[in-house]
Amino acid sequence: MTALTEERLIGIRSGDRVLCPPLEWDPETGAELAHDFVDVGPAGTVESWCWVAEPSEQHPLAHPFAFATVRLDGADTGLIHVVDAGRADAMSVGMRVAPRWRAERRGHLTDLEAFVPGEDPVSGGGAGAGEPVEMMGYNASIAYTTPVPDNVVRSEAAAAEGRFLGLQCPICGRTYTGGRGYCPVDSIALTAEHEIDLPQKGVATSFTIVTPVQYPGQTETEPFARVHVLLEGTDVVLSYQALVDTPNEDIRTGMRLAPVWASAAEMEDGAGDTREAGLIGWIPTGEPDATDPDLVNRLC
Amino acid sequence: MSHAPAAIVGIGQTHHKKKRWDVSLGGLVREAARRALDDAQMDWGDIDAVVIGKAPDLFEGVMKPELYLTDALGAHGKPMFRVHTAGSVGGTTGIVASHLVETGRHRRVLAVGYQKQSEGNAQFALGSGKGASLGAGGAFAPFIRSYIQRSGAPLDVGPMVAVKDRQNALKNPYAHLRLEDISIESVKASPMMWDPLRFLESCPSSDGACAMVFTDQAGGEAAAADGRQPAWVLGSAMRSEPFGFPGRDPVLPQGARDCADDVYAQAGITRPREQIDCAELYVPFSWYEPMWLEAHHLAGPGEGWQLVESGATALDGSFPVNMSGGVLSSNPIGASGLLRFAEAALQVRGMAGEHQVDGAKVAVAQAYGASAQYFSMWVVGASLDPFG
Amino acid sequence: MALDHAPGSHVPGQHPDDIAIIGWAQTPMVRHTDKTETQLLLEVVTDALDDAGLTRADVGFTCAGSCDYVAGQAFSFVQNTDAIGAWPPKRDSHVEMDGAWALYEAYVRLLMGDEVDVALAMGSGRSSTADPALIYPMEMDPFYLAPLGADALSLAALQAQAVLAAGAVTERQLAEIAARCRRDAQSNPYAQVSGEFDVDELLAEDAVRAPLRRHDLPPITDGAAAVVIARAEKAKAVCENPVWITGIAHCAELHYPGMRDLTRSLSARKAAEAAGVADGPVDVAELQAAFTHEEPLLVEALGLAPTVTVNPSGGPLAANPIMATGLVRIAEAAAAIRDRGASRTVGHSTSGPCLQQNLVCVLEGGRA
């Protein structure tokens, strides 16, 4: 990579062959390679190519180009890179190409901007890195569009109205929330016909208080609680629930809780975006704590 | 049992660190694999098949890395297999590799587990990068609180485990964390991260790799005849259970118990606490030591913490646990399970150096993953018939 | 490599370690589904076990194949545990590979010869949720390929050009393969792309990635598949017509396509040798040839005679559910025996750039 900043292409000796690109070890045997680098090219011969009429955002050129396997002079293997040839009919197996270098080089494969037809390399000017390149970063971005299952849509719509929707398995009677589409015990699909409304009273069965670490994506700055809440009179436990207006030191197993739903105005503001639909969190009701010792076992 | 025995004749691991930016992914796995091959007195060409295990590809940004790593592991022209069973994956890797030998598919198999968490952001990958991320500690803390409340364990038990494992790590040259002056007091003085878990009761995030070479019975016996003690796989098992449903107990999961029952039955173990000499368990947060001791029938219900408190699980105790320093001292996730399995094998081979348990002949290792849903376990012995 | 088969040594099904496919299912293969991977798996697991006359409780070992990068989520397979009936907890594994490799792990697990006598392999993927051109560079060498955005299609096109330049095949022959697959797919109720296509019209289309045209490429597909296998005694007890796995093997080769002879597939050839393809005549081969040029390349590497019927299901050119495509090939190869009277068939799966990794499975019906 350091050689790239100096507009040089290098290969590595492996037995009586020269591998370009210079891999870290022999790809056929796994054997260590002595770091015996040799200059190759600068020109080479196209062994295979394909034409990219519509480049992706990850491709190094924004206009149509060719990917090609280029056997550089002095190398015994093909380097895969791009050829900026203008038109597909300018490409052929056996054609000669030479590198065109970028002006700003940072020890990255794309310091070699592209190969171009001909024998003569095109310098980008500027200087080499001056010191060895030890890291090479690259960014890739992939956007996913994932459909939301019907049950989840219905569950969130209910939450927006201040209701907990459960799905009760007709075989074992267990109840699931969050629009879960199946009973994992009986392996059957759960659909709208299995929906039931769940009570708006809960009891804390366990909890944690999280001191947020500020890694990327963390939105909290102060210690916050997450509570497992058993909906009274059901087998449903809602895990990792937020609390509202409750000092962390007051939280305890057995405390009775009521849900706090976003108002229509708060929903408009997107208050539900980072929480489960319209549920903002839970607030203690002040009723006497539940004392059932089995509560600590109710976590799922 | 109709299958043939498998022997472990080579073990290697990297020095585990926060960031191994001195090597590429390939360089990292080769460092461990090369040590395992050297230990086995083999070279790349002697290996018939490779099994690689690691946790999510999003951690490093290399998808299906078995493809890119084929060359690095000398697997050109060979079967290259990739497993991924969350945190238990390292254990699964060892089990799949041993099955390939035990069923006679291959004679010599290389198993490799690794993670290079420094090349991406693991917490980002875990939390999908949005909202008030809990981290793994936040996910497990409610289970741990329930264990404490159920068992009535004193709060010092977690810190005791944290101190013991870090002291063991000082005897392990490959361990990541080296906390020379750790004490119960310093653990209790460390920040509360995921109440009731403190910072020093939690695992680090590491770069590292582990590798093992498996051979058939003839290979194991040849190594033994050559004065190189093999470890024999006496039993192995995997279990999975769904994430959440009414009736599941994530504190002492049924999957963990079933896994233990299965593996002890295969190994002919009826009194695990007496017949097993030491255990290397997947303990990323201190309290998982007493919890797994109970789930794996190494302590009675509610008695795991008493075993810890009595000092029995210390390196010089009657039932040492996590002699290597455990996950609390090194946690390259994809390798962590295989490291547990490897430590058990090192112990019965008598090759654990300063963290060797005197006279260890039978050892158990375990790994778990996801929300305590995936389990892998094995028992290894210094001979095929250690109770005979 | 160990001997992975016992050529002609016995009638399949006579040895207790003989393992048979006894049931399978696939979802309809579609361009896009709103169903989650878990829902897709729930359906195919139920259907495959129905096909075998079993229930989830009969299954001793499950193994799934799926990919976080296809799903766009770390640990994406964990929720799929809901589909397998893992309560009480089940012996279970997962490979970040095509379901064909899940079948391989399940096969090896059954060879252990303990109380586990039925296993289930699955594969699932929804490719519709993101652009494959952006996902697939992530599986390439992070120094020399991924930074170029070198996607699977571009590397396949480099291989196609090499095959064409070597004179092994013509562009017209590639179009004929596409037309044949999509014609055959008309009788496959699960196929996504089927119909009668005129070769001249196909050849008149613009190239998508020259030399590859639209018809040389697989469709983007959402789908899942499941296959049930059993040890000999169990297979014969529950199934009238088990399809025996008489050989299964896989092999990888070096990663960087510029260092390989792209007109050959060393790993496919070695996998075929290890699986014993040449030990008898082959009636039907279901190949994971997602690009037209891969079919002649694989036919040669596997040593298949010109008389072999290739991809009568339409193959991946008719439906390409990534992470299940290979397992579907094996299920189709089994169906060719049980449902359509073939005696000996081959299922094939592949992974990685330019056929880097290949799996070959040889199937036989019961011999008279």
Side-chain angles (χ1 to χ4, degrees):
Chain A
M1 295 297 168
T2 306
L4 290 173
T5 72
E6 298 161 355
E7 299 193 346
R8 287 191 301 125
L9 290 163
I10 58 172
I12 190 167
R13 283 192 198 283
S14 175
D16 51 9
R17 297 200 308 160
V18 172
L19 308 179
C20 178
L23 298 182
E24 291 183 85
W25 33 79
D26 184 292
E28 292 185 4
T29 64
E32 291 293 326
L33 296 177
H35 285 189
D36 184 3
F37 295 105
V38 289
D39 281 316
V40 294
T45 304
V46 168
E47 292 189 318
S48 188
W49 61 276
C50 68
W51 189 251
V52 183
E54 294 178 25
S56 80
E57 62 198 62
Q58 289 178 8
H59 288 152
L61 297 178
H63 56 268
F65 69 94
F67 271 116
T69 310
V70 178
R71 184 174 298 212
L72 291 159
D73 295 345
D76 295 291
T77 63
L79 175 71
I80 293 171
H81 214 293
V82 302
V83 178
D84 193 2
R87 301 191 330 271
D89 56 14
M91 294 296 303
S92 61
V93 171
M95 74 185 283
R96 296 284 291 167
V97 292
R100 181 176 78 213
W101 297 96
R102 286 183 195 275
E104 288 191 20
R105 297 180 299 278
R106 54 199 171 109
H108 191 278
L109 190 58
T110 54
D111 288 354
L112 196 178
E113 185 177 45
F115 284 94
V116 290
E119 296 288 337
D120 302 321
V122 181
S123 174
E131 55 191 58
V133 174
E134 292 184 341
M135 293 296 285
M136 190 199 79
Y138 71 94
N139 291 320
S141 169
I142 306 169
Y144 291 86
T145 308
T146 306
V148 179
D150 285 350
N151 282 354
V152 175
V153 172
R154 296 171 64 84
S155 172
E156 293 191 346
E161 297 169 3
R163 292 190 298 128
F164 285 124
L165 206 54
L167 290 154
Q168 190 163 40
C169 174
I171 299 175
C172 68
R174 288 179 174 87
T175 305
Y176 303 92
T177 55
R180 192 137 161 212
Y182 21 80
C183 172
V185 177
D186 294 302
S187 306
I188 60 162
L190 300 178
T191 60
E193 63 177 306
H194 304 112
E195 286 173 0
I196 54 172
D197 265 304
L198 296 172
Q200 304 255 345
K201 288 178 71 178
V203 56
T205 65
S206 192
F207 65 92
T208 183
I209 295 159
V210 178
T211 304
V213 179
Q214 299 305 312
Y215 40 69
Q218 177 61 274
T219 54
E220 300 295 313
T221 54
E222 296 300 316
F224 61 96
R226 284 293 181 266
V227 181
H228 279 55
V229 180
L230 172 68
L231 294 186
E232 290 193 48
T234 74
D235 59 1
V236 173
V237 175
L238 301 170
S239 49
Y240 309 110
Q241 300 290 296
L243 290 182
V244 177
D245 294 338
T246 311
N248 286 338
E249 56 272 23
D250 289 352
I251 300 167
R252 60 206 181 272
T253 297
M255 72 193 299
R256 295 189 188 274
L257 301 162
V260 179
W261 301 98
S263 67
E266 286 170 324
M267 290 293 288
E268 289 280 307
D269 288 347
D273 280 0
T274 57
R275 302 184 179 90
E276 204 167 308
L279 180 65
I280 292 176
W282 296 77
I283 194 161
T285 64
E287 295 166 80
D289 284 3
T291 54
D292 177 1
D294 186 45
L295 274 181
V296 298
N297 296 328
R298 307 290 292 273
L299 294 172
C300 285
Chain B
M1 193 165 75
S2 69
H3 58 82
I8 298 142
V9 296
I11 294 173
Q13 59 185 293
T14 60
H15 292 278
H16 310 294
K17 289 184 177 164
K18 179 86 184 160
K19 294 180 165 75
R20 283 298 308 270
W21 283 3
D22 55 319
V23 287
S24 63
L25 278 189
L28 188 78
V29 294
R30 277 172 71 89
E31 191 175 311
R34 188 65 253 176
R35 287 190 178 120
L37 289 171
D38 288 347
D39 184 13
Q41 298 190 4
M42 291 185 194
D43 209 338
W44 303 106
D46 296 318
I47 297 296
D48 301 321
V50 179
V51 181
I52 189 164
K54 67 177 298 291
D57 297 354
L58 275 77
F59 282 6
E60 292 90 0
V62 180
M63 167 181 168
K64 296 195 276 182
E66 67 276 10
L67 300 169
Y68 160 59
L69 294 176
T70 294
D71 310 7
L73 293 169
H76 174 68
K78 298 175 189 173
M80 177 80 169
F81 200 83
R82 158 75 191 289
V83 293
H84 176 13
T85 58
S88 71
V89 64
T92 311
T93 307
I95 292 172
V96 169
S98 70
H99 284 176
L100 289 173
V101 170
E102 289 169 317
T103 59
R105 297 288 290 177
H106 302 294
R107 285 186 54 217
R108 288 172 299 243
V109 178
L110 175 67
V112 181
Y114 78 93
Q115 204 83 51
K116 210 163 181 233
Q117 300 192 54
S118 67
E119 298 208 350
N121 190 306
Q123 293 296 351
F124 178 82
L126 283 169
S128 303
K130 63 185 177 197
S133 180
L134 302 181
F140 289 120
F143 305 166
I144 288 167
R145 179 180 304 282
S146 282
Y147 172 77
I148 294 169
Q149 293 182 0
R150 261 194 226 191
S151 66
L155 290 175
D156 273 3
V157 168
M160 285 183 70
V161 174
V163 171
K164 170 192 65 98
D165 282 8
R166 271 54 176 271
Q167 285 174 340
N168 289 352
L170 295 174
K171 299 175 188 295
N172 178 358
Y174 295 106
H176 170 183
L177 288 188
R178 316 196 70 80
L179 307 174
E180 301 278 352
D181 49 0
I182 193 166
S183 66
I184 301 280
E185 290 69 36
S186 66
V187 174
K188 288 165 75 173
S190 69
M192 185 65 87
M193 297 300 294
W194 303 282
D195 194 336
L197 283 170
R198 293 185 181 276
F199 178 71
L200 284 176
E201 292 180 271
S202 308
C203 59
S205 174
S206 315
D207 287 355
C210 177
M212 261 192 262
V213 177
F214 294 77
T215 69
D216 59 5
Q217 186 165 5
E221 286 168 353
D226 190 35
R228 291 176 288 122
Q229 168 76 49
W232 297 94
V233 181
L234 302 180
S236 64
M238 305 188 280
R239 289 293 186 282
S240 303
E241 63 185 53
F243 157 66
F245 58 89
R248 172 171 128 86
D249 179 6
V251 178
L252 297 174
Q254 191 63 43
R257 301 182 205 205
D258 290 358
C259 220
D261 287 337
D262 189 354
V263 82
Y264 297 156
Q266 291 173 43
I269 290 170
T270 52
R271 292 165 285 117
R273 173 83 166 74
E274 290 134 62
Q275 291 172 295
I276 299 170
D277 298 308
C278 53
E280 187 78 15
L281 308 177
Y282 202 99
V283 178
F285 302 101
S286 59
W287 284 92
Y288 266 103
E289 176 168 312
M291 287 161 71
W292 291 143
L293 286 171
E294 292 180 30
H296 300 323
H297 319 308
L298 297 162
E303 293 171 0
W305 64 268
Q306 295 173 27
L307 207 59
V308 176
E309 197 178 41
S310 74
T313 61
L315 192 53
D316 59 357
S318 62
F319 190 79
V321 176
N322 290 348
M323 300 69 70
S324 71
V327 182
L328 280 173
S329 304
S330 312
N331 186 31
I333 299 177
S336 285
L338 197 61
L339 284 166
R340 309 281 74 70
F341 280 42
E343 174 69 16
L346 277 178
Q347 290 287 343
V348 300
R349 294 175 76 199
M351 293 177 65
E354 278 190 72
H355 49 106
Q356 177 70 44
V357 173
D358 282 346
K361 297 293 180 222
V362 178
V364 64
Q366 171 258 25
Y368 83 99
S371 186
Q373 297 166 256
Y374 288 80
F375 304 93
S376 54
M377 241 177 133
W378 79 9
V379 173
V380 287
S383 76
L384 277 168
D385 187 19
F387 313 119
Chain C
M1 205 181 294
L3 191 66
D4 285 309
H5 62 288
S9 60
H10 67 277
V11 177
Q14 285 194 334
H15 191 282
D17 281 342
D18 286 345
I19 288 161
I21 296 177
I22 60 170
W24 55 84
Q26 54 182 305
T27 60
M29 298 300 167
V30 293
R31 175 64 181 80
H32 170 83
T33 179
D34 280 343
K35 291 178 177 168
T36 63
E37 268 188 58
T38 316
Q39 287 172 313
L40 295 174
L41 287 169
L42 195 75
E43 291 170 17
V44 291
V45 170
T46 300
D47 292 349
L49 287 164
D50 278 351
D51 189 32
L54 298 172
T55 70
R56 283 174 171 80
D58 296 311
V59 178
F61 179 78
T62 53
C63 190
S66 68
C67 177
D68 280 349
Y69 265 100
V70 174
Q73 185 190 347
F75 298 110
S76 59
F77 63 93
V78 171
Q79 58 213 26
N80 295 340
T81 312
D82 282 0
I84 62 174
W87 191 255
K90 203 173 273 303
R91 294 174 180 85
D92 168 58
S93 188
H94 171 262
V95 296
E96 199 85 355
M97 307 179 86
D98 188 283
W101 274 268
L103 180 78
Y104 184 88
E105 185 175 335
Y107 173 86
V108 172
R109 184 62 188 80
L110 288 188
L111 287 180
M112 288 294 284
D114 54 11
E115 70 272 27
V116 177
D117 56 4
V118 176
L120 176 74
M122 296 156 278
S124 59
R126 290 193 304 176
S127 295
S128 67
T129 61
D131 182 355
L134 302 182
I135 294 178
Y136 285 92
M138 304 304 291
E139 75 174 28
M140 309 302 171
D141 182 313
F143 300 100
Y144 294 127
L145 290 172
L148 297 173
D151 53 298
L153 170 59
S154 294
L155 295 173
L158 283 180
Q159 183 161 37
Q161 187 79 267
V163 172
L164 288 164
V169 68
T170 64
E171 291 189 30
R172 170 165 287 275
Q173 286 170 321
L174 296 184
E176 286 166 353
I177 288 169
R180 189 203 76 230
C181 285
R182 283 158 188 171
R183 183 167 60 242
D184 289 348
Q186 292 177 106
S187 56
N188 176 358
Y190 302 102
Q192 178 184 350
V193 182
S194 62
E196 291 289 344
F197 292 88
D198 178 77
V199 170
D200 287 316
E201 285 177 21
L202 291 178
L203 285 169
E205 288 174 14
D206 285 343
V208 176
R209 189 129 317 164
L212 296 179
R213 296 180 175 82
R214 177 71 251 167
H215 63 259
D216 295 308
L217 276 50
I220 292 172
T221 307
D222 289 353
V227 172
V228 184
I229 60 175
R231 290 178 60 82
E233 198 177 323
K234 182 77 172 182
K236 289 187 287 190
V238 303
C239 184
E240 284 180 9
N241 41 16
V243 177
W244 299 98
I245 299 173
T246 56
I248 183 167
H250 65 104
C251 186
E253 59 192 288
L254 65 88
H255 177 66
Y256 193 79
M259 296 192 182
R260 292 190 238 148
D261 175 356
L262 293 180
T263 66
R264 300 269 184 274
S265 175
L266 168 93
S267 57
R269 177 173 62 75
K270 291 191 80 164
E273 286 169 4
V277 172
D279 293 341
V282 175
D283 301 324
V284 171
E286 282 282 346
L287 308 178
Q288 191 179 344
F291 300 96
T292 50
H293 69 277
E294 293 177 349
E295 183 180 302
L297 213 153
L298 286 165
V299 164
E300 193 207 359
L302 269 55
L304 300 175
T307 52
V308 176
T309 303
V310 176
N311 288 351
S313 68
L317 291 165
N320 189 35
I322 298 290
M323 309 315 286
T325 308
L327 188 62
V328 170
R329 302 280 72 72
I330 294 171
E332 291 287 358
I337 291 174
R338 190 188 72 181
D339 304 338
R340 293 188 281 280
S343 343
R344 192 166 183 272
T345 65
V346 169
H348 160 268
S349 184
T350 190
S351 175
C354 303
L355 303 168
Q356 188 195 343
Q357 191 176 25
N358 292 276
L359 180 146
V360 175
C361 179
V362 180
L363 302 173
E364 292 185 39
R367 289 185 206 146

